[in-house]
């Protein structure tokens, strides 16, 4: 879907010199047991974004991938998996980080942002 949508919207994005932000996952930068297809799709998204960035950089279009860790969403529940969401990140906080990056001056680029919740433990 991201590839099809990008192909269809790219003429509009070019005319408006817009930015493209793909929401991936940390599963796109490290493997996860029993999540083979999901990881493959997220690794593919990163590769697509990196190649697209090369193709549109002369048009002034910034392409970024955001790879958040575990998010506090209904994804697990809809899959029938019971997960304690207390340690998962708030999607609103992640969205604010994306907005902060997009507000950087034109010519600035964060190509890949990985966001994880910091675990504080005792040693």
């Amino acid at each position: 879907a991201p590839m099809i949508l990008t192909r269809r919207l790219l003429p509009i994005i070019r005319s408006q010199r817009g930015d493209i932000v793909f929401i991936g996952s940390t599963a796109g930068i490290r493997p996860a047991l029993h999540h083979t297809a999901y990881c493959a799709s997220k690794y593919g998204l990163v590769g697509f974004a990196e190649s697209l960035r090369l193709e549109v950089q002369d048009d002034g279009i910034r392409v970024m991938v955001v790879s958040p860790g575990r998010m506090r969403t209904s994804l697990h529940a809809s899959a029938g998996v019971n997960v304690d969401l207390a340690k998962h990140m708030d999607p609103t906080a992640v969205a604010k980080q994306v907005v902060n990056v997009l507000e950087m001056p034109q010519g600035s680029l964060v190509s890949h942002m990985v966001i994880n919740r910091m675990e504080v433990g005792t040693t």
Side-chain angles (χ1 to χ4, degrees):
M3 290 181 237
I4 293 168
L5 287 170
T6 300
R7 179 180 296 243
R8 290 192 179 160
L9 294 174
L10 196 53
I12 296 167
I13 296 168
R14 275 196 169 105
S15 71
Q16 297 179 3
R17 293 181 61 99
D19 296 318
I20 300 172
V21 179
F22 295 106
I23 305 299
S25 168
T26 53
I29 58 173
R30 66 173 182 253
L33 186 63
H34 305 300
H35 293 86
T36 305
Y38 183 75
C39 288
S41 71
K42 299 305 179 183
Y43 271 88
L45 183 63
V46 171
F48 174 71
E50 290 176 357
S51 294
L52 179 65
R53 184 177 311 109
L54 297 174
E55 292 178 18
V56 300
Q57 66 186 0
D58 291 341
D59 297 320
I61 298 171
R62 299 183 298 185
V63 178
M64 176 174 67
V65 177
V66 179
S67 294
R70 295 180 179 179
M71 303 288 293
R72 195 176 310 136
T73 67
S74 60
L75 177 68
H76 294 92
S78 66
V81 178
N82 186 16
V83 174
D84 178 11
L85 298 178
K87 292 185 178 181
H88 289 49
M89 293 183 294
D90 175 24
T92 303
V94 173
K96 286 179 183 177
Q97 293 302 315
V98 173
V99 170
N100 288 340
V101 170
L102 290 173
E103 289 176 341
M104 293 171 60
Q106 197 65 21
S108 303
L109 173 66
V110 173
S111 59
H112 194 163
M113 181 168 53
V114 179
I115 305 173
N116 281 304
R117 180 178 171 146
M118 193 166 96
E119 295 295 325
V120 179
T122 56
T123 55

